[in-house]
Amino acid sequence: MPQPPQLPPKPTAYAQQPQQQQPPPMAPRSQMQQAQLQTASPRASMHVQPAFYTHPVAAGSDPSLNGRMHAGTNLRSSGAYQHQIVMQPDPAMTQMAAHATAAPQSRRTSHLPDSAAYGATGLKNFGNTCFMNSVIQCLAGTGPMTRYFMRGEWKKDLLRDSSARSDVAVEFARLLESMWRGQYASISPIGFRAAVAKCSEQFKGNEQEDAHEFASFLLDALHESLNHVRPRPPPERELTADEELQFERLPDAQQAALQWARFTRRNWSIVTSIFQGQIQSRLTCLSCKHTSTTYHTFSELSVPIPSGNSKQASALVRKSQARNAPVNIYQCLDAYSETEILDGDNKWLCPRCKTKRKATKRLLVARLPL
């Protein structure tokens, strides 16, 4: 066997440290390995850009992700989604930003600015409008949405009419571009605020309002003005009794997919792609075991915070409370999905029994937002 070549002599400073071991000698690379090193491209960037308008698909036959979330499993590493969300700037964006900075002032660009000022622009308050600015900053920090507006994708989806909601979308796009240019430390969202006041009486003044209500209003306005399902088909008809029976026999994943397809036939926008999910609600008659399953979309989810003394508290929550450990989000989701007993005045009118029966009701997250 040929002996591997020896490494060159160690530097003096390295030789004076006897406690450190010398690295083992390396075997010479073959000609094929040398060719691969010479032709290999630079290391791929860790920044993954998700495609716009892609349906996040849950892994497994059961669309509910509550069990996996309770186990603390990373949804992305477990394959829960086909596309990942990336919040950090990627090198390609920074390279485009350099070109955008050198462009003439008369030409409006849709690229991100230099990474040195990446999203560092603040917003000034008008009286008590911090609720509005906080929501804007949250949306401006959502990577897929920022790229959608900064690349000009919204222009082809904008509903070309004179409605106030379209003005909100236009001013929001202009505001994002001003925020991400990085030219100023802070700016005043005057145009955006005027468009919001024109569209909603509630947010017209300078009084303090609820940030949650403003977020719901803004997402709804953006969805309605950027919904690219045109012309919009009429609403789906209700299922007949026979169709409902056939629907109940389907697996949960197939039920959720059918109902999501019914919804997206009339609604598909950047808001749907990122912020909307799906809830499954199932009623079960305790007498005849008949079930009734419905699905509805959501862009916000209010979950209870269980305590050790509450009915929603599981054994894990009580054990955490005994150790003075804080309740985590997975326990809150478990409490949200706890089975509820419908009895007394809340009995369910069972379609099969034709009378009110004691039943159970359970909510599950069938599809998470992106």
Side-chain angles (χ1 to χ4, degrees):
M1 295 290 293
Q3 295 294 328
Q6 298 295 323
L7 294 173
K10 296 180 294 183
T12 304
Y14 186 83
Q16 293 176 356
Q17 300 177 3
Q19 69 277 12
Q20 296 182 2
Q21 297 181 358
Q22 180 182 0
M26 299 176 61
R29 295 190 181 99
S30 63
Q31 294 183 355
M32 180 178 295
Q33 290 175 332
Q34 291 285 0
Q36 290 176 351
L37 289 175
Q38 294 176 1
T39 59
S41 59
R43 185 174 61 177
S45 172
M46 295 300 293
H47 302 277
V48 183
Q49 299 184 23
F52 296 119
Y53 303 125
T54 55
H55 294 265
V57 179
S61 59
D62 185 0
S64 172
L65 301 178
N66 288 299
R68 197 171 326 155
M69 293 172 66
H70 174 68
T73 307
N74 188 307
L75 296 180
R76 290 171 187 152
S77 62
S78 62
Y81 294 118
Q82 291 179 340
H83 303 274
Q84 294 183 354
I85 305 174
V86 176
M87 309 301 292
Q88 295 82 9
D90 54 81
M93 289 298 203
T94 306
Q95 184 178 4
M96 289 192 300
H99 176 72
T101 306
Q105 294 294 332
S106 59
R107 178 184 176 184
R108 296 186 62 86
T109 59
S110 298
H111 303 304
L112 295 180
D114 189 6
S115 59
Y118 202 87
T121 302
L123 296 173
K124 297 180 180 179
N125 284 337
F126 297 96
N128 296 317
T129 58
C130 54
F131 72 94
M132 178 181 71
N133 293 347
S134 62
V135 173
I136 295 173
Q137 291 286 10
C138 289
L139 295 180
T142 304
M145 191 169 193
T146 300
R147 283 188 284 268
Y148 169 81
F149 279 98
M150 297 299 291
R151 289 174 170 174
E153 299 285 337
W154 64 277
K155 296 179 182 179
K156 69 176 183 296
D157 297 332
L158 181 66
L159 181 61
R160 306 289 178 176
D161 60 3
S162 58
S163 66
R165 291 175 181 251
S166 296
D167 294 339
V168 171
V170 172
E171 292 299 333
F172 181 76
R174 291 175 179 172
L175 179 59
L176 280 185
E177 186 173 352
S178 299
M179 292 173 64
W180 286 87
R181 281 184 183 276
Q183 295 177 342
Y184 307 99
S186 61
I187 58 177
S188 299
I190 299 176
F192 176 76
R193 180 176 173 274
V196 169
K198 183 181 177 182
C199 186
S200 173
E201 288 289 335
Q202 178 181 356
F203 306 109
K204 192 172 184 179
N206 295 328
E207 294 79 13
Q208 179 66 41
E209 298 291 346
D210 185 69
H212 167 257
E213 293 180 1
F214 180 75
S216 299
F217 156 78
L218 181 55
L219 290 178
D220 181 67
L222 293 176
H223 170 70
E224 292 297 330
S225 57
L226 298 174
N227 186 6
H228 65 84
V229 180
R230 304 187 191 105
R232 206 168 186 179
E236 298 281 348
R237 64 172 179 82
E238 296 293 333
L239 297 179
T240 64
D242 292 338
E243 290 173 340
E244 287 185 357
L245 291 177
Q246 296 178 8
F247 181 79
E248 292 297 326
R249 299 189 186 101
L250 298 176
D252 286 357
Q254 193 171 351
Q255 287 183 357
L258 287 174
Q259 293 299 325
W260 184 255
R262 286 166 62 95
F263 173 76
T264 54
R265 286 192 192 103
R266 304 185 71 246
N267 302 275
W268 191 248
S269 68
I270 185 66
V271 176
T272 308
S273 177
I274 299 176
F275 298 103
Q276 291 186 335
Q278 188 181 43
I279 293 293
Q280 178 200 77
S281 176
R282 174 164 292 164
L283 295 169
T284 303
C285 177
L286 296 180
S287 298
C288 67
K289 305 305 179 182
H290 176 73
T291 60
S292 176
T293 310
T294 57
Y295 293 83
H296 65 272
T297 58
F298 72 94
S299 56
E300 57 197 44
L301 194 62
S302 299
V303 297
I305 302 178
S307 62
N309 299 325
S310 64
K311 295 181 180 180
Q312 295 90 350
S314 61
L316 183 61
V317 172
R318 295 189 178 94
K319 187 176 180 180
S320 300
Q321 293 291 324
R323 300 195 311 265
N324 294 325
V327 177
N328 58 42
I329 185 61
Y330 305 111
Q331 295 167 346
C332 295
L333 288 170
D334 283 344
Y336 177 82
S337 300
E338 281 289 325
T339 301
E340 178 185 359
I341 302 297
L342 303 180
D343 199 2
D345 296 337
N346 295 325
K347 286 184 177 180
W348 178 44
L349 180 59
C350 177
R352 179 179 294 176
C353 298
K354 307 297 182 181
T355 186
K356 288 189 174 182
R357 295 290 190 183
K358 186 178 180 179
T360 60
K361 178 181 179 181
R362 191 180 186 188
L363 301 176
L364 291 177
V365 179
R367 180 186 295 268
L368 288 168
L370 182 62

